[in-house]
Amino acid sequence: MRFNIVSTALNTISGDVCVLGIYKEKGLPKQVSDIDRSCGGMIKEAMRYGFNAEFGRQCLLHVDKGIKAKRILLLGLGKRSELDLKKIRILLARMCLYLRQQNTKSYCMQLIRSSDRRDSFSDTVEAHITSHESALYEFNQYKTERKEEYIPIVEASFVCLASELKSAKESAKKAHHVVQAMNLIRNLVNEPSNMLTPSNLARYAVSMSKRDGISCKVYGRKEIEKMGMRAFLGVAKGSAEEPKFIVMEHKPKKSHGKICVVGKGITFDSGGISIKPSKGMDEMKMDMGGAAATIGIMDAVARLKIPVHVYGIVAACENMPSGTAQKPGDVVETMSGKTVEIANTDAEGRLILADALHYATTLKPDAIVDLATLTGAVVVALGSHATGMFTNNSVLAKTMEAAAFQSGEAVWRLPVWEDYQEDVKSDIADIKNIGLPMEAGSITAAMFLKFFIGKTPWIHLDIAGTAWTDGRKHIGVKGATGSGVRLVTRFIEEISEMKASRR
Ligand code: BES
Ligand code: MN
Ligand code: ZN
């Protein structure tokens, strides 16, 4: 796929489709009416016969004169004052799916501009690239007869002002790196658990790290035992697959600050002895969405050469019931020395994270960000439209909220007040791994994690609702969404800019 950023006139660009965005307001802009005139008034005619420029409307016209492209796609932008980047992303994704359906090999268009002043130019460019590549993502690994339904789109040209060329090209290149990293990890999340075992996840991390020139260490069961990660091992105990603890490190020569990204890597969550109902259990192959995001973030950070020292830490195992599985009521001593009562073996994510987060604190970072498909309760609270954010630091919260706005990946902050700590008190150990029935399930999960964080500034992102889609909301395919990659990469960039400007 090639993206061109150019400042040439639209009508001179050859290719399959020339996309013309049309606002709902009366009167066509000069450039469009010029094109209309030279191809015989087809656009005005289409507008007389039904195309009303309502947001998201599309109308394909075959043209034989006036412009270099073979067809024109009229794209309804709705009211100018209402058009922001969020809507532009939706619009572009739908447009790409439609263009593919029409067997388009190449298209050109002017960059669509947001009317919201808070949307920057670079985010606008980013949205064009990301929407395209994200919407056209497919996972067809296991179809023996891959239907060649579509000719792939191979080239897109975006037109901007000559004075914007340089910065637009830079932003496009960056966006391309990040969305590549994101689509690669969507593959990991979509892979079934018999294919993507903890060992295979580790193998992927190693080969990616090699490609990106970052370091990657993988620890097996013996080493995990030696490190004293008994909460992690307790979860892994019921499975025949060996657990893997993966530590990636991006350490540029010059860097501002140190950040640990930590991911939950349950390659399959059956619930363990507290087994889940069978309906929907197949989806629990996605319970390594946080781990995948962590790997994708490391990929993106390395490709972008962001000047921050970043660790990517993943605890990967299966949660299975068996004769060797841990049981409700068991008590384990975590790596930190604190003890945990396992009240429910299905609350396993927080157990492996207790050790992974403690490990992260020993690296003495400026901040820890963890990503986990941690609770069904966050899906109840926020649905699939926002990631739950929990943090002990308001400056970090602001930075993450800014990154969310810029990347289009929404987060919503939920509290981690001391009041909730009561709910995870155990009768026989320091803490237990579930809260009160039907009460604040995602908050008590976060309180559990907080117990192992100490004083380190920390953000926990519960992506249980956003890592996977049934195809309802997300434009594009069902399955993995790549949630967290663009958000946290942007967050790390923000941190590097903040730290750099403080010097
Ligand atoms: N992996 C699940 C959470 C989850 C649910 C992720 C739905 C994605 C979609 C997690 O390990 C889990 O089972 N959580 C339990 C916790 C409970 C036992 C306290 C839950 O949310 O029901
Ligand atoms: Mn579980
Ligand atoms: Zn889980």
Side-chain angles (χ1 to χ4, degrees), residues 264 266 269 276 284 287 346 348-349 373-374:
K264 167 179 173 182
I266 297 291
D269 183 10
K276 286 180 182 299
M284 281 303 129
D287 211 15
D346 196 12
E348 84 297 340
T373 48
L374 202 64

Side-chain angles (χ1 to χ4, degrees), residues 84-100:
D84 60 11
L85 259 194
K86 196 169 174 176
K87 288 178 117 183
I88 291 173
R89 286 196 175 91
I90 297 170
L91 198 67
L92 289 167
R94 281 196 211 152
M95 176 197 84
C96 286
L97 290 167
Y98 178 71
L99 286 178
R100 182 174 64 180

Side-chain angles (χ1 to χ4, degrees), residues 8-11 20 28-36 110 159:
T8 40
L10 263 186
N11 57 342
L20 296 174
L28 293 175
K30 179 170 184 311
Q31 189 201 19
V32 177
S33 60
D34 283 352
I35 291 180
D36 184 42
Q110 245 175 349
V159 178

Side-chain angles (χ1 to χ4, degrees), residues 59-125:
C59 176
L60 194 63
L61 305 170
H62 294 261
V63 285
D64 51 13
K65 60 175 180 194
I67 62 165
K68 274 269 184 71
K70 294 188 205 106
R71 288 174 282 177
I72 285 177
L73 178 72
L74 300 180
L75 185 63
L77 303 180
K79 283 198 187 131
R80 186 191 288 268
S81 61
E82 289 173 6
L83 196 63
D84 60 11
L85 259 194
K86 196 169 174 176
K87 288 178 117 183
I88 291 173
R89 286 196 175 91
I90 297 170
L91 198 67
L92 289 167
R94 281 196 211 152
M95 176 197 84
C96 286
L97 290 167
Y98 178 71
L99 286 178
R100 182 174 64 180
Q101 232 172 43
Q102 299 302 320
N103 282 335
T104 307
K105 269 185 295 198
S106 60
Y107 70 91
C108 63
M109 69 188 300
Q110 245 175 349
L111 286 176
I112 302 175
R113 311 284 174 151
S114 162
S115 297
D116 187 333
R117 270 206 224 117
R118 294 170 302 169
D119 293 327
S120 72
F121 179 69
S122 65
D123 290 336
T124 303
V125 177

